[in-house]
RNA sequence: GCCCGGAUGGCGGAAUUGGUAGACGCGUCAGACUCAAAAUCUGGUAUUCGCAAGGAUGUGCAGGUUCGAUUCCUGUUCCGGGCACCA
């Protein structure tokens, strides 16, 4: 009896499906375990072998936990809204809903063959109205909430209204944009005035702001979607632009997002990425009075108040509001010119060039501690959006300040003695202060609190915490996203009533941008007639809460019943790539905290443990073709009958090649080849599926492309060897490997185990199909412990020996440990060793083999089921 | 520039807490079975000296701590990832 994996796998997959084996209930006496994958964006390209890596790992873990007696929630769904589907629609004229549906069915077909234990009855799709109804609903909750910094939580805006009506502003919200007012004043405000104030505190708000605008995509992008001045998707240039935009006030959660990071089981690298993104810094704000007008103050932010006596100049951002007041008549022209110059430069240019530019304002401020006159400069290296948009420059301690001082010949004060060598700034905190008035002789780090106390005592400053993180841009001028449940009337945003949700995305005929930077929905008269918001939500809206919907996917009353979310609680294990470190993961953490604050769920962090699977890179193969110069007809011939060199010859000199290949050329191209010169050797991507290891399958290559049909190959030792390189896996590089082909050839169980055997899940590694035979051999060996091709059944019900039990128990222990700590590659090795050992013992005892099948089940579920008697 | 991670045979990788480096698999070599091939099985396979027994060297590089270091410390090179005028 043979191991016919194709029949076995089909049989069990059908049975799992028809018997609803993996459907999970929300009521169980078993302990729960929630194992989640980052759901995929269903792209048109389909799956390559890199995609299922994380799914296989999570499936192993889910099956393992099930065997350990847990009620396991292991769902899958689709993150279906987003830019690529819309771009695709624009290019091919297929409606995103249609292409998305097709892509989803492709994905599903591919996934099903690998034998996952997903509970498909809980599938979610963010682009379906039954799902985005609740995305819109949560948006409304955000819109209708404010952040109470005293209670350190979000609260309904109705509560704030009551407070405003009874006590006025009264410091209830610490937001600079909101002016002080009394209860009586509040009541006297017009509706518009009141609503404008409320808009300044809503957790989802609409405002004017500088945004990342991508002209090619016709939309704004969030900070994490911009990479070095280019869009993450498509790589188009991105510029800063002032636009009306929706935002999430994620900055209110900055501190909590940072703090609760501590208790999460994320990798240190991940924690660090997130905390760098949040970018908390402790410092102080400080006032410097104008020399000419002591009533006016310039407020700066610094993290080093201890260096106050080393301040040699001030720098304000080019957008700073005090520039007109600071500019002296004699410098006005230069200042105007400089500001015009800065405006003319794109973000991209600023980042690429990084040159030192600046301009003196002509005026001075006074150091509050020693009265020293300090010149005020303008420079683009100071950012308007951070701190106060103005800094005190200490060139002996800060590299940028130092370079600036050098460049403009500003004298440098040394307050750190020999720690400053005059050639480089030194940002140490461990120097003893000199030239520093009342701080002389003090250690710098000790001086920080001393100065802070003095600032407060004199009323000229205070300690201050700043964050790099900005509020998240939450609107896109695109079609394929959730519509905002907002109606505009007289410049006031009114939320739709909950009972009118979902606000369905209408069909459109064209996806072109609307007027004035608005989205395609602005072209629809039926939409604009109702004054509906024409922007749509960004890709990360649905993914910020989808994990909650899996818990209660068919509920039409609420997004997720409290009963369901109380039962399932946090995701016990979340698997996905690092690329979402500062996007999705941060947003979903914020939404979870918000929903917790408002009492809709009972936990404030979504994911207990996060594992980042590494990327599987493509291993590209190249063929090296010789390029020639000669008569036109010869070049034509060279195209029809190309000559390829094996990898070892590619780097020979052209002289050498011309000499050694003469006869080859003559043979291939005939007499005319005498006049031909080889001028270069070019490398062309070859489909990896035509290559075995590094050796090219020549006949397959010839039939791959018609133009290679008559190709000639210059071999080494009778083989044509390809060049290799590790690159990102992509269709255009012909280095993708389709899991379907491997499943057909070796079976899903082999494929699953091989993906795990390749190396640690967290590690990035190039794909190499070569070793899959070894894993396949293992499964066949396992099969032979039960069945012999000729003799048939060989397993017996005899009692096992001591030695056999020993082998089994060693395996069970190792598998438990390895599966728990996510070391699946060593677990697969252990299984191989076990089967080898049992083979050596000629062990065919049922009681041993059955136990072996149990520990094998998570890794190779089909064969385990089949052999289970 | 700053921060984080990594470097082990021909290849992917193992060594969980400082204790026999190279598990397991690939590849390769030899053998068995076969008319032959495939499949399967058995054995060898870090480098080096040696007919052999055996010896020497060996975890990017240079040092250090230790009875003992792939593992800890210092410095350094290369590779990968993240951030990048955040005062």
């Amino acid at each position: 009896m043979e191991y016919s994996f194709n029949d076995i796998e089909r049989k069990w997959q059908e049975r799992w499906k028809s018997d609803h084996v993996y459907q999970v209930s929300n009521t169980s006496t078993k302990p729960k375990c929630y194992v989640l994958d980052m759901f995929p964006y269903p792209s048109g390209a389909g799956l390559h072998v890199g995609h299922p890596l994380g799914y296989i790992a999570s499936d192993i873990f889910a099956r393992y936990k099930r065997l350990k007696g847990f009620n396991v929630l292991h769902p899958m769904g689709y993150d279906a809204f987003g830019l690529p589907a819309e771009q695709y629609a624009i290019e091919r004229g297929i409606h995103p809903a249609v292409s998305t549906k097709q892509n989803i069915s492709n994905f599903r077909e591919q996934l099903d063959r690998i034998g996952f234990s997903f509970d498909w009855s809980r599938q979610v799709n963010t682009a379906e109205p039954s799902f985005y109804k609740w995305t819109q609903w949560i948006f409304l909750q955000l819109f209708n909430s404010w952040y109470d910094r005293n209670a350190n939580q979000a609260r309904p805006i109705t509560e704030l209204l009551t407070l405003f009506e009874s006590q006025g502003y009264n410091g209830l919200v610490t937001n600079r944009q909101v002016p002080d007012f009394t209860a009586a004043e509040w009541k006297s405000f017009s509706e518009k005035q009141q609503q404008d104030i409320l808009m300044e505190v809503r957790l989802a708000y609409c405002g004017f702001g500088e945004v990342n605008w991508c002209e090619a995509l016709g939309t704004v992008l969030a900070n994490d979607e911009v990479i070095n001045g280019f869009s993450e998707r498509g790589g188009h240039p991105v510029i800063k632009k002032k636009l009306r935009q929706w935002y999430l006030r994620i900055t209110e959660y900055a501190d909590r997002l940072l703090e609760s990071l501590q208790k999460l089981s994320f990798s240190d690298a991940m924690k660090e990425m997130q905390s760098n993104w949040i970018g908390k810094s402790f410092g102080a704000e400080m006032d410097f009075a104008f020399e000419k007008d002591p009533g006016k103050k310039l407020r700066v932010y610094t993290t080093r108040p201890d260096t106050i006596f080393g301040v040699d100049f001030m720098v304000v951002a080019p957008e700073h509001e005090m520039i007109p007041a600071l500019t002296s008549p004699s410098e006005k022209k230069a200042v105007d010119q400089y500001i015009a110059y800065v405006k003319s430069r794109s973000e991209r240019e600023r980042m690429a060039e990084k040159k030192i530019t600046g301009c003196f304002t002509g005026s001075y401020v006074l150091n509050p501690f020693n009265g020293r006159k300090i010149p005020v400069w303008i420079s683009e290296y100071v950012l308007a959006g951070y701190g106060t948009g103005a800094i005190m420059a200490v060139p002996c301690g800060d590299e940028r300040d130092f370079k600036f001082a050098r460049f403009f010949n500003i004298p440098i004060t040394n307050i750190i003695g020999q720690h400053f060598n005059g050639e480089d700034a030194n940002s140490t905190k461990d120097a003893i202060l000199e030239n520093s008035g009342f701080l002389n002789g003090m250690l710098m780090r000790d001086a920080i609190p001393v100065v802070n106390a003095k600032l407060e005592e004199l009323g000229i400053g205070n300690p201050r915490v700043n964050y790099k993180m900005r509020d998240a841009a939450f609107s896109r001028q695109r079609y394929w996203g959730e519509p905002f449940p907002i109606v505009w009337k007289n410049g006031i945003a009114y939320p739709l009533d909950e009972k009118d949700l979902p606000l369905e995305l209408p069909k459109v005929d064209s996806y072109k941008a609307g007027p004035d930077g608005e989205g395609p929905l602005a072209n629809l008269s039926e939409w604009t007639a109702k004054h509906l918001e024409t922007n749509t939500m960004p890709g990360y809206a649905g993914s910020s809460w989808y994990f909650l919907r899996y818990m209660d996917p068919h509920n039409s009353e609420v997004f997720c019943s409290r009963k369901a979310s109380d039962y399932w609680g946090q995701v016990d294990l979340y698997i996905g790539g690092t690329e979402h470190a500062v996007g999705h993961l941060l947003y979903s953490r914020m939404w979870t905290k918000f929903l917790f604050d408002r009492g809709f769920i009972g936990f404030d962090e979504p994911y207990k443990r996060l594992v980042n699977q590494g990327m599987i890179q493509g291993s590209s193969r190249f063929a090296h073709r010789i390029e020639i110069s000669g008569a036109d007809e010869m070049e034509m011939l060279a195209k029809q009958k190309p000559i390829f060199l094996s990898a070892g010859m590619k780097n020979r000199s052209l002289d050498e090649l011309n000499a050694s290949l003469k006869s080859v050329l003559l043979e291939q191209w005939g007499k005319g080849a005498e006049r031909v010169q080889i001028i270069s050797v070019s490398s062309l991507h070859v489909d990896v599926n035509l290559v075995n290891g590094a050796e090219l399958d020549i006949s397959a290559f010839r039939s791959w492309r018609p133009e290679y049909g008559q190709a000639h190959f210059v071999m080494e030792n009778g083989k044509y060897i390809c060049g290799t390189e590790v690159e990102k896996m992509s269709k255009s590089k012909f280095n993708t490997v389709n899991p379907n082909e491997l499943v057909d050839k070796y079976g899903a169980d082999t494929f699953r185990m091989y993906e795990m055997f390749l190396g640690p899940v967290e590690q990035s590694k190039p794909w190499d199909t070569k070793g899959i035979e070894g894993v396949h051999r293992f499964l066949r060996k396992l099969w032979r412990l039960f069945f012999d091709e000729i003799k048939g059944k060989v397993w017996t019900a005899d009692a096992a020996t001591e030695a056999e039990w020993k082998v089994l128990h060693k395996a069970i222990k190792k598998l438990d440990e390895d599966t728990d700590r996510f070391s699946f590659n060593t677990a697969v090795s252990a299984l191989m060793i076990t089967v080898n050992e049992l083979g050596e013992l000629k062990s065919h005892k049922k009681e041993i083999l059955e136990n072996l099948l149990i520990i094998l089940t998570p890794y190779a579920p089909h064969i385990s089921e089949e052999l289970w008697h």
Side-chain angles (χ1 to χ4, degrees), chain A residues 134-307:
Chain A
W134 299 109
T135 309
Q136 292 172 334
W137 181 86
I138 296 172
F139 168 81
L140 288 182
Q141 307 312 308
L142 285 158
F143 179 80
N144 282 322
S145 298
W146 61 296
Y147 201 84
D148 182 343
R149 291 192 192 174
N150 296 317
N152 207 14
Q153 67 166 96
R155 292 172 62 186
I157 211 134
T158 48
E159 291 178 17
L160 183 66
L161 273 176
T162 320
L163 292 167
F164 278 173
E165 277 163 19
S166 62
Q167 38 178 297
Y169 176 72
N170 203 16
L172 285 166
V173 284
T174 46
N175 185 324
R176 266 186 257 173
Q177 308 300 317
V178 179
D180 209 351
F181 52 81
T182 63
E185 279 172 326
W186 172 258
K187 286 177 200 152
S188 74
F189 289 156
S190 69
E191 189 190 2
K192 174 87 167 86
Q193 282 171 314
Q194 289 186 342
Q195 287 300 326
D196 284 350
I197 288 170
L198 290 180
M199 197 57 109
E200 296 295 335
V201 302
R202 295 179 187 277
L203 286 178
Y205 65 98
C206 189
F208 257 90
E210 202 155 76
V211 292
N212 305 304
W213 175 260
C214 180
E215 193 61 50
L217 296 173
T219 189
V220 302
L221 298 169
N223 284 338
D224 61 277
E225 294 170 313
V226 182
I227 296 166
N228 287 331
F230 289 97
S231 65
E232 185 186 20
R233 292 233 182 247
H236 306 292
V238 174
I239 56 166
K240 292 277 181 197
K241 198 172 178 180
K242 281 231 172 201
L243 273 180
R244 181 184 68 83
Q245 237 19 264
W246 285 92
Y247 293 91
L248 292 184
R249 212 177 288 282
I250 191 171
T251 46
E252 293 287 6
Y253 282 92
D255 225 5
R256 282 167 67 191
L257 287 169
L258 188 64
E259 237 163 66
S260 54
L261 211 46
Q262 304 287 326
K263 63 181 187 204
L264 299 177
S265 179
F266 289 13
S267 71
D268 290 341
M270 174 61 60
K271 287 184 182 179
E272 203 180 287
M273 273 189 246
Q274 292 207 1
S275 63
N276 284 346
W277 186 262
I278 295 166
K280 185 177 189 177
S281 72
F282 300 86
E285 285 189 0
M286 210 183 283
D287 290 328
F288 289 73
F290 285 29
E291 181 210 9
K292 293 273 166 58
D293 182 0
K296 285 205 176 114
K297 318 262 190 205
L298 179 65
R299 176 157 272 234
V300 302
Y301 174 71
T302 178
T303 53
R304 298 296 299 275
D306 53 313
T307 62

Side-chain angles (χ1 to χ4, degrees), chain A residues 606-636:
Chain A
Y607 321 114
K608 244 191 228 170
R609 177 181 177 193
L610 175 71
V611 171
N612 297 111
Q613 94 263 24
M615 237 207 320
I616 292 199
Q617 295 138 314
S619 183
S620 303
R621 295 290 181 275
F622 297 90
H624 310 289
R625 188 178 65 191
I626 59 176
E627 308 292 337
I628 56 150
S629 74
D632 286 351
E633 75 273 12
M634 287 315 297
E635 288 181 19
M636 286 289 290

Side-chain angles (χ1 to χ4, degrees), chain A residues 650-751:
Chain A
K650 165 186 87 139
N651 291 326
R652 292 196 187 153
S653 74
L654 291 175
D655 290 346
E656 215 179 324
L657 288 175
N658 273 309
S660 63
L661 294 175
K662 261 282 109 78
S663 60
V664 176
L665 267 52
L666 282 170
E667 188 189 320
Q668 176 79 348
W669 297 332
K671 270 213 167 135
E674 279 167 16
R675 289 171 288 129
V676 158
Q677 280 289 312
I678 300 171
I679 51 166
S680 66
V681 180
S682 60
S683 299
L684 311 170
H685 275 101
V686 173
D687 191 329
V688 280
N689 298 297
L690 308 176
V691 182
N692 182 15
E695 187 189 351
L696 184 66
D697 179 339
I698 288 173
S699 65
F701 181 74
R702 283 201 173 113
S703 47
W704 181 44
R705 290 285 164 90
E707 64 264 37
Y708 300 148
Q710 302 183 63
H712 178 82
F713 299 86
V714 183
M715 322 270 251
E716 291 173 90
N717 306 325
K719 291 174 177 175
Y720 184 88
I721 304 298
C722 292
T724 63
E725 205 174 295
V726 173
E727 300 179 292
K728 201 180 143 106
M729 206 175 260
S730 104
K731 282 242 157 107
S732 65
K733 299 191 171 91
F734 299 109
N735 61 5
T736 58
V737 179
N738 187 333
N740 284 7
E741 288 168 24
L742 296 173
V743 170
D744 285 343
K745 196 162 170 200
Y746 301 101
D749 285 337
T750 300
F751 178 70

Side-chain angles (χ1 to χ4, degrees), chain A residues 309 414-418 432-437 439-442:
Chain A
F309 289 95
N414 180 14
I415 54 167
I416 52 176
Q418 31 176 273
I432 303 290
L433 285 159
E434 298 176 11
N435 297 326
S436 289
L439 299 172
N440 274 336
M442 211 178 277

Side-chain angles (χ1 to χ4, degrees), chain A residues 476-490:
Chain A
R476 299 291 181 266
Q477 292 64 41
R478 301 310 305 243
Y479 169 71
W480 190 235
E482 300 87 346
F484 283 85
I486 291 287
V487 173
W488 287 94
K489 271 182 203 146
N490 307 320

